[in-house]
Amino acid sequence: MDTCRRNNRSVGAGYEQMAADYLESRGHLILERNYRNRYGEIDIISRDGDTIVFHEVKFRNSAACGNPLEAVNYQKQRKISRVALFYCSVRGLGEDQSFRFDVIAVYGDGRLEHVENAFEFVG
């Protein structure tokens, strides 16, 4: 099996936990994990100061397995944006609420790469 492609829910949960621990160590308050609605799922939602942050967590066995940002293509960005919009609506967060979209890559050697403002809202 291709080592760049293998992943399953239980393995992914472990990497998401690593990402959540990382975020908490940097002062983020975790609000939701694996938030789902009819539009899709967001791996982690946190608060960083006054900003709501929607995080997509991607596992990469090594840097040779590709750039995690490339895995978060336009369609994935659009899906995450829709989930985020629904989340804000349900939570009563107004237009004055600041938010951003981050991507966290977790590599097989335990390294994390956190890309803040990885993409803009896609309507």
Side-chain angles (χ1 to χ4, degrees), residues 38-110:
R38 65 184 178 167
Y39 300 109
E41 177 185 359
I42 295 177
D43 295 325
I44 300 172
I45 302 173
S46 73
R47 179 177 291 280
D48 181 18
D50 292 332
T51 303
I52 301 294
V53 188
F54 302 98
H55 304 273
E56 178 69 9
V57 179
K58 290 293 181 190
F59 171 71
R60 292 293 178 260
N61 228 9
S62 70
C65 290
N67 182 332
L69 289 177
E70 291 172 2
V72 185
N73 60 23
Y74 178 83
Q75 280 115 356
K76 183 70 172 175
Q77 292 173 17
R78 187 168 185 221
K79 183 177 277 196
I80 292 168
S81 295
R82 286 181 173 180
V83 176
L85 186 61
F86 186 85
Y87 175 86
C88 290
S89 175
V90 168
R91 298 295 186 275
L93 302 174
E95 292 180 13
D96 58 335
Q97 174 64 57
S98 64
F99 66 90
R100 71 173 193 256
F101 298 97
D102 292 4
V103 175
I104 299 176
V106 181
Y107 294 96
D109 62 5

Side-chain angles (χ1 to χ4, degrees), residues 15 18-20 22-23 57 104-107 109-114:
Y15 297 118
M18 287 176 66
Y22 163 84
L23 291 168
V57 179
I104 299 176
V106 181
Y107 294 96
D109 62 5
R111 280 182 310 118
L112 279 96
E113 180 182 1
H114 181 193

